[in-house]
């Protein structure tokens, strides 16, 4: 077929060796330049790359090779890439810790010599010997990464650190061996060993604290991954064996004992137990599982034991899909991040230019100590101007926000919807399965004849409803079964579409259905029955009649119960200044009753799926930022049109696929929590960006010597290194505050 679009694969790969936001820009640009890659988004905060590529022309190995060419690495083709990434992170954390401690141990005597014993014989040689391993061994990664970047015409934070510390050290070595060069010109031969060593130490300390803090931001993923056991007890070749979870195949018979986590998705084949499914549904009450019932990976078996047949394994399980959704969301970028990325991408070259201009300005206007001051200030500019705080500002807040959402049964597909949620001022709710439970129950049965049990009427009604395929019939059958009804033989069972069912029992004809079915049989309703039916219908009930050939024997009110928290959730949304709209395909009386009970002000009933779409468009033309909440295929068009789309987790696959957020609980209180989470996450991003920009706007001019003409103040490179490290840590720490806020 001509001009067929390639079938793209979307995957998340852990990235190793990234040290700053500019590193993420470099990796992203290399991935985008790889043939076959449609799009790539690299997240510095969680060290991942979200890549969309054509598997026919690009393989994961090709992506890895492209990333490795500039000094980084991509984890591909392994069974558990997250485990590899976590192991690499912990190893890196241990290395940074040792690097920091050794750097500090060697730097302290260099600082003491440089500040208090400047004229000590051979003191400069001792400082050189102590600071050399700090700069060129414990700080070697800065030089290695800077060189790899330079080969491709790129620059990052490592470039700044390598240039500043390398120049400071080499200048000091020259002054140590050739001090007379300056003495002959009437100048003192200054050395900056302590500056070079302490800058490496402070940056290492900042990286250590930053890595520890970043590890906390991804705790939601690790909690979800911890729900899946590593081994499984399964029947293999007729024998019970304990095997790795990766060895489980669809069709395997898996054994679950009391207290164990269910390893994969499946269907119970034998045994009965209760399973804690709160991680999926948010409901604390364990669910009974018997043969034929579905079970899901990550849920916890209670006291009983059972066997089940595996139906979904590995990446296909519900738990794996949830983990993948959270990972992709944490790796996605908020719209504000696009601007930040552009700034970070040009930031390092701009700083290098500022450093050169600073050097030149001091050489021209610096007076007697021009060269010394020029060198000191240009080095300080390079040290203080780290783009890390800028690069971490948005992704750390997004990661914590999405992780917080996962803890509150809210899966957020991308950062854009999280950022937009705070602007929502109109929310459209579907009725069935969203405001209501979506499971019809019999509210009331009224027998219109004496001694119905003595005439076997309940048994006849039960037998007919058991054979009916109508969803309301099951509600009646369940009630009668609980009351002890028995099955009777039926003859000439006939389902009349849209009206009810007709059957013969004991020679008599019986009908169950709506008023139209009775009218067509020539049966009329007494006035008191009509009055009662009208009262039930006005209270969101559907009325079903049971009659023989001559009269109506019983009438039943069947309704879909409103969820216990729906009214409270709607009130809270309205208190937040959000208009709440109810859209339903149900009849107007039922919709009005639900609206009355829950306090919804705007109602439209009897709408088709396309009319739901039009309604959302209509609100948007009025300037509203619209959130749509639904659970069915009939809601998918409106969900796709809405600014923020939220699907109920128990709903149809297409609704969840279209929606940007999915509630894995039936509790509508998760919706106001989601909107509050959006507002607090965006507030965190703004705070982070403010401090990151202010830090650089103030720090760079001060480092360049702006205050020197007024008060003689020059910023020491050591202090600049400490300030740079603390700026990154402060941004991550501010993002982590969101973890501890109440929604």
């Amino acid at each position: 077929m001509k001009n067929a679009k390639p079938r793209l694969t979307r995957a998340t790969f852990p990235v190793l060796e990234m040290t700053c936001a500019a590193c993420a820009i470099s990796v992203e640009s290399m991935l985008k330049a790889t043939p076959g890659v449609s799009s790539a988004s690299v997240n510095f905060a969680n060290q991942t790359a979200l890549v969309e590529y054509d598997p026919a022309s690009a393989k994961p190995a090709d992506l890895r090779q492209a990333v490795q060419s500039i000094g980084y690495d991509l984890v591909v083709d392994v069974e558990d890439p997250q485990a590899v990434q976590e192991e690499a992170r912990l190893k890196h954390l241990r290395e940074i810790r040792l690097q920091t401690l050794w750097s500090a141990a060697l730097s302290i005597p260099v600082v003491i010599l440089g500040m208090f014993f400047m004229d000590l014989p051979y003191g400069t040689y001792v400082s050189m010997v102590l600071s050399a391993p700090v700069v060129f061994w414990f700080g070697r990664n800065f030089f290695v990464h800077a060189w790899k970047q330079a080969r491709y015409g790129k620059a990052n934070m490592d470039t700044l650190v390598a240039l500043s510390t390398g120049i400071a050290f080499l200048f000091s070595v020259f002054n140590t061996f050739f001090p007379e060069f300056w003495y002959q010109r009437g100048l003192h031969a200054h050395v900056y060993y302590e500056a070079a060593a302490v800058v490496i130490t402070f940056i290492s300390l900042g990286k250590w604290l930053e890595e520890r803090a970043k590890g906390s931001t991804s705790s939601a993923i690790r909690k979800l991954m911890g729900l899946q056991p590593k081994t499984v007890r399964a029947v293999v070749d007729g024998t019970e064996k304990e095997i790795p979870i990766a060895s489980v195949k669809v069709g395997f018979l898996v054994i679950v004992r009391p207290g164990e986590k269910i390893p994969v998705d499946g269907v119970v084949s034998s045994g009965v137990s209760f399973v804690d499914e709160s991680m999926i549904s948010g409901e604390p009450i364990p669910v009974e599982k018997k043969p034929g019932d579905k079970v899901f990976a990550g849920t916890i078996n209670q006291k009983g034991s059972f066997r089940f047949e595996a139906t979904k394994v590995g990446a296909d399980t519900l738990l794996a899909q949830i983990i993948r959704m959270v990972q992709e969301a944490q790796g996605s970028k908020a719209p504000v991040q696009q601007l930040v990325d552009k700034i970070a991408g040009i930031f390092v070259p701009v700083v290098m230019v500022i450093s050169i201009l600073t050097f030149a300005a001091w050489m021209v206007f610096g007076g007697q100590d021009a060269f010394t001051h020029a060198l000191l200030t240009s080095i300080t500019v390079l040290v203080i101007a780290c783009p890390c705080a800028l690069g971490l500002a948005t992704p750390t807040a997004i990661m914590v926000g999405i992780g917080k959402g996962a803890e509150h049964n809210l899966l957020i597909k991308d950062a854009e919807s999280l950022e937009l949620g705070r602007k929502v001022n109109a929310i459209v709710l579907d009725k069935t399965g969203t405001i209501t439970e979506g499971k019809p129950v019999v509210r009331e049965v009224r027998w219109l004849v004496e001694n119905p049990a003595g005439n076997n009427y309940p048994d006849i009604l039960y037998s007919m409803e058991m054979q009916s395929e109508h969803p309301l019939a099951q509600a009646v059958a369940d009630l009668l079964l609980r009351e002890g009804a028995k099955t009777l033989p039926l003859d000439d069972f006939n389902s009349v579409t849209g009206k009810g069912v007709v059957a013969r029992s004991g020679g008599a004809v019986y009908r169950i259905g709506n008023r139209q079915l009775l009218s067509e049989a020539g049966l009329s309703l007494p006035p008191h029955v009509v009055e009662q039916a009208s009262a039930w219908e006005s209270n969101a009930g559907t009325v079903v009649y049971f009659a023989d050939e001559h009269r109506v024997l019983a009438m039943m009110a069947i309704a879909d119960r409103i969820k216990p928290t729906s009214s409270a959730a709607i009130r809270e949304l309205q208190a937040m200044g959000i208009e709440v709209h109810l859209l339903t395909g149900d009849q107007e009386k039922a919709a009005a009753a639900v609206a009355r009970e829950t306090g919804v002000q705007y109602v439209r009933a009897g709408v088709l799926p396309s009319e739901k779409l039009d309604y959302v468009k209509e609100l948007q033309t009025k300037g509203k930022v619209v959130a749509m909440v639904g659970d069915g295929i009939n809601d998918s068009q409106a969900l796709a049109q809405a600014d923020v789309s939220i699907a109920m987790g128990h709903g149809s696959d297409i609704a969840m696929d279209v929606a940007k957020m999915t509630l894995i609980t039936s509790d509508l209180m998760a919706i106001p929590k989601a909107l509050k989470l959006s507002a607090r996450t965006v507030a965190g991003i703004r705070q982070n960006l403010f401090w990151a920009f202010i830090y650089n706007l103030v720090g760079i001019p001060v480092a360049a010597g702006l205050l020197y003409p007024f008060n003689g103040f020059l910023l020491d490179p050591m202090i600049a290194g400490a300030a740079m490290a603390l700026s990154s840590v402060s941004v991550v720490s501010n993002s982590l505050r969101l973890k501890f806020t109440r929604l």
Side-chain angles (χ1 to χ4, degrees):
M1 183 173 162
K2 292 183 179 179
N3 300 323
K5 288 186 178 180
R7 192 177 184 85
L8 299 177
T9 295
R10 185 180 173 92
T12 300
F13 301 102
V15 185
L16 307 181
E17 308 294 333
M18 287 197 301
T19 58
C20 71
C23 298
I25 303 297
S26 298
V27 174
E28 188 173 296
S29 64
M30 288 302 291
L31 286 170
K32 286 178 177 176
T34 304
V37 172
S38 172
S39 65
S41 173
V42 177
N43 189 314
F44 171 52
N46 68 355
Q47 304 278 297
T48 61
L50 179 60
V51 187
E52 197 167 24
Y53 63 97
D54 177 8
S57 53
K59 301 288 187 291
D62 300 328
L63 305 179
R64 186 183 189 191
Q65 189 175 354
V67 171
Q68 285 177 330
S69 69
I70 54 169
Y72 307 101
D73 200 1
L74 208 63
V75 180
V76 299
D77 295 332
V78 295
E79 192 174 285
D80 190 350
Q82 280 70 41
V84 173
Q85 184 188 31
E86 181 63 11
E87 186 180 337
R89 189 188 73 82
L90 293 173
K91 181 184 176 184
H92 184 51
L93 196 59
R94 289 192 296 270
E95 288 174 353
I96 293 179
R97 180 174 176 271
L98 283 173
Q99 176 181 310
T100 304
L101 294 175
W102 276 107
S103 297
L106 293 171
S107 298
I108 289 170
V110 176
V111 172
I112 293 171
L113 283 170
M115 297 184 72
F116 304 109
F117 301 98
M118 292 174 286
D119 299 321
L120 186 74
Y122 303 106
T124 54
Y125 290 94
V126 174
S127 295
M128 179 181 69
V129 170
L130 290 174
S131 59
V134 176
V135 176
F136 297 112
W137 179 250
F138 298 118
R140 66 189 182 280
N141 285 336
F142 296 115
F143 294 90
V144 171
H145 290 150
W147 167 245
K148 288 179 177 178
Q149 291 286 312
R151 284 168 54 204
Y152 287 88
K154 299 179 183 294
N156 63 6
M157 189 205 78
D158 295 327
T159 309
L160 300 182
V161 177
L163 279 173
S164 59
T165 56
I167 291 169
F169 186 87
L170 293 175
F171 178 69
S172 300
V173 169
F174 178 85
N175 288 357
T176 299
F177 287 103
F178 306 104
E180 63 278 0
F181 177 85
W182 300 106
Y183 295 151
Q184 291 169 2
R185 290 161 175 76
L187 299 172
H188 186 73
H190 291 285
V191 293
Y192 297 102
Y193 292 120
E194 74 280 3
V198 172
V199 164
I200 295 288
T201 302
F202 273 130
I203 292 174
S204 298
L205 175 64
K207 285 289 170 192
W208 180 25
L209 297 174
E210 184 184 301
E211 285 295 324
R212 289 181 60 184
K214 282 198 298 183
S216 299
T217 64
S218 57
S219 60
I221 287 286
R222 290 203 295 276
K223 284 179 185 175
L224 287 170
M225 293 175 71
L227 293 171
Q228 191 173 49
K230 302 296 180 188
T231 59
V232 181
R233 181 163 288 276
V235 178
V236 182
D237 299 327
T239 308
E240 284 190 21
K241 291 182 181 177
E242 190 158 321
I243 59 174
I245 192 165
S247 302
V248 180
K249 302 285 190 295
V250 172
F252 271 30
L253 197 61
V254 180
I255 299 128
V256 182
R257 293 173 293 195
E260 290 184 340
K261 291 175 183 174
I262 293 168
V264 294
D265 294 1
V267 176
V268 177
S269 57
S270 64
V272 177
S273 184
F274 284 84
V275 174
D276 178 0
E277 293 188 338
S278 56
M279 58 78 57
I280 291 174
S281 66
E283 306 298 334
I285 301 170
V287 181
E288 184 180 11
K289 298 294 179 182
K290 53 189 183 298
D293 289 341
K294 291 181 180 179
V295 290
F296 302 99
T299 56
I300 303 170
N301 185 31
Q302 301 291 292
K303 294 182 179 178
S305 62
F306 58 89
R307 295 185 176 199
F308 71 92
E309 182 183 336
T311 56
K312 290 183 180 179
V313 299
D316 295 328
T317 65
L318 179 63
L319 177 62
Q321 290 169 11
I322 290 172
I323 291 171
R324 187 162 59 247
M325 192 183 292
V326 175
Q327 282 178 326
E328 289 190 1
Q330 288 189 332
S332 65
K333 292 182 178 179
V336 68
Q337 182 66 15
Q338 311 296 332
L339 174 62
V340 173
D341 281 352
K342 287 179 182 177
I343 294 171
I346 62 170
F347 189 80
V348 173
V350 167
V351 168
M352 292 170 68
V353 171
I354 292 172
S355 177
I356 293 168
L357 292 174
T358 299
F359 186 89
W362 275 99
M363 288 299 292
V364 174
F365 305 109
Q368 186 178 1
D369 294 328
F371 185 81
T372 303
H373 288 161
L375 186 67
L376 182 71
T377 51
S378 59
I379 287 172
T380 307
V381 167
L382 291 173
V383 170
I384 202 167
C386 171
C388 287
L390 193 61
L392 288 167
T394 302
T396 51
I398 292 292
M399 281 177 66
V400 175
I402 288 170
K404 184 83 172 175
E407 290 174 10
H408 285 81
N409 302 306
L410 179 73
L411 293 180
I412 301 167
K413 278 190 182 177
D414 62 20
E416 185 176 359
S417 58
L418 181 62
E419 187 181 344
L420 195 58
R422 68 188 180 89
K423 297 180 180 178
V424 168
N425 51 21
I427 189 161
V428 178
L429 302 175
D430 176 47
K431 180 178 78 71
T432 305
T434 302
I435 295 178
T436 66
E437 292 179 347
K439 296 177 182 175
V441 293
V442 179
R443 281 188 175 177
E444 189 175 344
V445 177
R446 181 164 296 186
W447 289 99
L448 305 175
V449 293
E450 293 183 7
N451 193 24
N455 291 292
N456 285 338
Y457 291 149
D459 296 337
I460 295 168
L461 176 58
Y462 172 70
S463 302
M464 292 176 69
E465 293 288 52
M466 278 295 291
Q467 291 194 36
S468 173
E469 77 283 358
H470 198 282
L472 296 183
Q474 189 60 48
V476 177
D478 289 344
L479 175 68
L480 293 172
L481 181 62
R482 289 195 298 270
E483 293 179 353
K486 299 186 180 93
T487 306
L488 294 177
L490 298 175
D491 299 317
D492 302 330
F493 182 87
N494 182 35
S495 178
V496 184
T497 304
K499 297 171 186 175
V501 294
V502 181
R504 187 182 296 274
S505 177
V509 175
Y510 295 91
R511 291 174 173 81
I512 305 169
N514 57 23
R515 192 167 180 175
Q516 189 177 353
L517 181 71
L518 302 189
S519 298
E520 289 177 358
L523 295 172
S524 59
L525 300 177
H528 70 281
V529 171
V530 174
E531 187 179 338
Q532 182 62 63
S534 179
W536 281 349
E537 286 171 349
S538 64
N539 198 28
T542 299
V543 181
V544 176
Y545 303 93
F546 175 46
D548 61 12
E549 296 166 288
H550 310 292
R551 56 183 175 163
V552 178
L553 305 174
M555 58 191 302
M556 291 152 280
I558 303 174
D560 186 5
R561 282 187 301 208
I562 293 172
K563 293 174 187 174
T565 56
S566 291
S567 298
I570 289 165
R571 283 196 301 272
E572 185 160 348
L573 288 167
Q574 290 169 337
M576 293 165 65
I578 298 170
E579 287 182 5
V580 180
H581 300 252
L582 170 60
L583 284 189
T584 179
D586 205 348
Q587 59 180 335
E588 197 164 329
K589 281 187 177 180
V594 169
R596 190 166 54 249
E597 189 171 338
T598 56
V600 175
Q601 295 174 310
Y602 305 93
V603 187
R604 188 171 292 183
V607 292
L608 298 170
S610 59
E611 291 172 328
K612 289 187 178 183
L613 170 68
D614 294 337
Y615 192 88
V616 171
K617 284 182 177 177
E618 185 184 325
L619 289 174
Q620 289 171 328
T621 56
K622 294 177 181 177
K624 301 290 185 185
V625 178
V626 182
M628 170 72 193
V629 186
D631 71 331
I633 293 173
N634 61 326
D635 300 318
S636 58
Q637 292 171 274
L639 285 168
Q641 176 64 34
D643 300 291
V644 177
S645 46
I646 305 172
M648 307 302 291
H650 62 261
S652 68
D653 289 342
I654 190 170
M656 287 187 281
D657 188 52
V658 168
K660 295 296 179 68
M661 299 184 185
T662 300
L663 304 182
I664 48 177
T665 173
S666 60
D667 189 353
L668 279 190
M669 286 300 291
I671 295 173
K673 285 181 180 179
L675 303 184
K676 288 178 185 175
L677 178 64
S678 168
R680 289 175 190 176
T681 302
V682 171
I685 290 171
R686 287 179 169 176
Q687 291 162 6
N688 288 347
L689 289 174
F690 172 79
W691 290 113
F693 277 114
I694 285 295
Y695 164 79
N696 282 297
L697 286 173
V698 173
I700 291 175
V702 170
L706 184 67
L707 299 179
Y708 187 80
F710 305 103
N711 57 15
F713 177 78
L714 281 179
L715 186 65
D716 193 292
M718 293 185 293
I719 305 301
M724 189 215 71
L726 289 172
S727 68
S728 296
V729 175
S730 64
V731 163
V732 177
S733 300
N734 186 54
S735 296
L736 286 171
R737 287 191 311 120
L738 183 60
K739 289 183 75 171
F740 308 105
T741 58
R742 289 174 61 89
L743 295 179

